[in-house]
Amino acid sequence: TSGSRAYIAVAGGLDIPVQMGSKSTNLKLKVGGYQGRKIGGGERLVLLPEDDPSKYEKEKSDAGDFSQTEKTIRVVMGPQDDCFTEKGVETFLSSTYAFTNESDRMGAFEGEVIEHKNGGDIITDGIAFGAIQVPSHGQPIIMMADHQTTGGYTKIAGVISVDLPLVAQSRPGYKVHFQKVTVEEAQ
């Protein structure tokens, strides 16, 4: 009843092709799922029969309340937080950022510019789910479900795993504050 996304589980699954070991859809690449695209109004999908209905729980999920329009997102700093000025790190941790209309399954923000020491470009390296990239324009982008595997922008921090659903369910206009925690606190 709150948040920006809903999920449905179908006992037995959908009768759609498996691609790369999955039935999920990557909309940007137009691969997988139902013809690599969104399901439209009036379309019908074929369901596979349940193999053993007794093994599926029929209870309502307690997924949480995502209706708060302003939230604190906890982060572990790094791996390139040393590429930012002291002022830039302070700006990141003390400012309010708002999700933009460009946010899809990666969170794009607008707010105070996060200052780099020498620009936002780095040698391409790996990107983890929840990493926060800050390109040269100084606005943070959280790498969510549709993130690339490598990238060449500085990453100031990473969202801790228990706060990722708060990011995933946020809508354009929702506001966030980033709070630094240690790895031990995150665990």
Side-chain angles (χ1 to χ4, degrees):
T1 59
S2 62
S4 62
R5 291 172 178 79
Y7 303 89
I8 186 168
V10 179
L14 301 175
D15 188 11
I16 56 178
V18 174
Q19 290 190 308
M20 299 174 67
S22 175
K23 291 186 177 185
S24 64
T25 307
N26 184 317
L27 294 174
K28 288 184 179 182
L29 296 177
K30 299 179 181 169
V31 172
Y34 182 71
Q35 301 175 358
R37 62 177 177 81
K38 294 179 184 179
I39 300 168
E43 292 185 301
R44 294 175 178 241
L45 297 174
V46 177
L47 305 181
L48 296 170
E50 296 180 44
D51 54 350
D52 178 8
S54 66
K55 71 179 182 182
Y56 300 104
E57 291 198 26
K58 308 286 189 213
E59 295 178 20
K60 180 181 175 187
S61 168
D62 182 20
D65 178 11
F66 300 106
S67 61
Q68 288 183 307
T69 60
E70 193 158 335
K71 16 190 137 188
T72 298
I73 304 297
R74 293 168 292 178
V75 300
V76 173
M77 299 303 289
Q80 288 102 22
D81 56 324
D82 60 341
C83 292
F84 297 86
T85 64
E86 191 174 307
K87 178 185 174 199
V89 172
E90 176 61 29
T91 298
F92 172 69
L93 294 171
S94 65
S95 298
T96 301
Y97 291 90
F99 283 87
T100 68
N101 287 328
E102 287 77 40
S103 293
D104 48 16
R105 291 180 5 133
M106 292 196 317
F109 298 96
E110 57 188 7
E112 295 294 319
V113 171
I114 300 168
E115 187 178 83
H116 294 88
K117 289 180 180 173
N118 297 307
D121 295 334
I122 59 171
I123 295 173
T124 297
D125 69 351
I127 298 179
F129 188 56
I132 304 174
Q133 281 189 329
V134 184
S136 293
H137 58 59
Q139 299 297 316
I141 303 168
I142 299 180
M143 302 290 106
M144 295 297 286
D146 286 343
H147 75 84
Q148 66 274 24
T149 56
T150 63
Y153 296 129
T154 51
K155 294 173 288 297
I156 194 167
V159 176
I160 68 171
S161 60
V162 296
D163 284 358
L164 289 169
L166 296 174
V167 176
Q169 290 290 356
S170 293
R171 299 176 184 173
Y174 279 20
K175 294 179 173 35
V176 298
H177 310 274
F178 296 107
Q179 178 186 354
K180 175 183 172 180
V181 297
T182 65
V183 171
E184 292 75 23
E185 290 170 318
Q187 292 172 340

